[in-house]
Amino acid sequence: MGFGDLKSPAGLKVLNAFLSDKSYIEGYVPSQADVAVFDAISSPPSTELCHALRWYNHIKSYQREKTSLPGVKRPLAQYGPSGVEDQTAAEAKDDDDDLDLFGSDEEEDEEAIRMKEERVAAYNAKKSKKPTLIAKSSILLDVKPWDDETDMAKLEECVRSIEMDGLLWGQSKLVPVGYGIKKLQISCVVEDDKVGTDSLEELITAFEDYVQSMDVAAFNKI
């Protein structure tokens, strides 16, 4: 369990692989799990570790309010590829064992009935709610490299490695801008209350080895 030494290249590679399909260490919003792992890293990951670098830059933007992020900060060894879910499941099993040892059959039956009634009530309440209309926008971004020697395939890989709740990447193409230089033009659809162009610019330009600047070429409400 765990990432190992996050001050070493090996530990950062494990973290990069772990974040290849995740936005955060746990769940779908920044939490104390992200703070614990972030604090264990001595310097930003290299641009070759694009998933870890994308996550690092995103969590870095929460440093002022990191103490107010949800969750409880646990020891670093409790986070990592093996997940905390196994531990949680074991604790849940221990709780069940305690009930088997000390609870009566009658108490268990009453508790099971109460829990079933609560689940049915919660389901009915959720079903009765009308779906909320989610405001979305279609954005076309121009991402400019430093020069004609920039690896544009790697640049696009870095951009697409950015994952946020409410962000969906679309089609892309390379557009000539002169002197043999091409820019990456890439589209995305965002949920307005979750993703802004400012946060996208901050995350994209963080890949400073490849990206010189980012501009919004088009912005349309859906």
Side-chain angles (χ1 to χ4, degrees):
M1 181 179 294
F3 300 105
D5 183 4
L6 284 173
K7 293 180 174 59
S8 70
L12 290 175
K13 285 182 179 179
V14 175
L15 176 64
N16 187 66
F18 180 78
L19 291 168
S20 63
D21 59 352
K22 299 177 179 65
S23 296
Y24 304 102
I25 299 300
E26 289 182 346
Y28 301 97
V29 295
S31 69
Q32 292 301 319
D34 297 284
V35 174
V37 177
F38 182 91
D39 288 346
I41 299 175
S42 57
S43 60
S46 68
T47 53
E48 294 300 318
L49 305 175
C50 57
H51 303 298
L53 180 59
R54 172 258 305 163
W55 168 85
Y56 182 92
N57 289 327
H58 185 48
I59 300 305
K60 184 179 179 181
S61 67
Y62 286 91
Q63 286 307 288
R64 290 185 178 179
E65 61 263 40
K66 68 178 184 179
T67 56
S68 63
L69 293 178
V72 177
K73 191 175 181 181
R74 301 190 302 275
L76 181 64
Q78 294 188 15
Y79 304 106
S82 296
V84 185
E85 295 176 1
D86 293 340
Q87 178 186 351
T88 304
E91 292 173 351
K93 184 177 183 301
D94 289 342
D95 290 341
D96 290 340
D97 291 343
D98 291 342
L99 288 174
D100 292 339
L101 289 171
F102 303 109
S104 68
D105 292 339
E106 181 180 353
E107 289 174 344
E108 289 178 0
D109 290 342
E110 291 176 353
E111 179 70 9
I113 293 173
R114 184 184 65 79
M115 292 178 65
K116 183 178 179 180
E117 290 174 347
E118 288 179 354
R119 287 196 294 266
V120 170
Y123 173 79
N124 290 334
K126 183 177 180 180
K127 189 176 180 181
S128 65
K129 292 181 180 179
K130 295 182 180 179
T132 304
L133 182 63
I134 300 175
K136 295 183 179 181
S137 298
S138 174
I139 306 175
L140 186 64
L141 304 175
D142 283 343
V143 184
K144 298 175 183 177
W146 287 104
D147 51 40
D148 59 344
E149 295 182 358
T150 300
D151 186 341
M152 297 303 293
K154 184 65 178 179
L155 185 151
E156 180 174 353
E157 179 185 344
C158 290
V159 172
R160 289 187 181 274
S161 73
I162 297 172
E163 296 178 354
M164 301 173 67
D165 186 22
L167 169 64
L168 178 64
W169 292 111
Q171 296 181 338
S172 64
K173 64 179 179 179
L174 298 179
V175 179
V177 296
Y179 302 101
I181 301 174
K182 295 181 180 180
K183 65 182 178 182
L184 173 68
Q185 195 168 78
I186 185 168
S187 64
C188 62
V189 174
V190 302
E191 294 183 19
D192 296 345
D193 61 343
K194 295 180 179 179
V195 183
T197 55
D198 290 343
S199 58
L200 282 176
E201 181 177 9
E202 179 181 352
L203 293 171
I204 290 174
T205 54
F207 297 107
E208 55 188 20
D209 286 354
Y210 301 97
V211 178
Q212 182 188 46
S213 63
M214 186 215 82
D215 298 310
V216 177
F219 188 100
N220 298 298
K221 295 286 186 180
I222 299 178

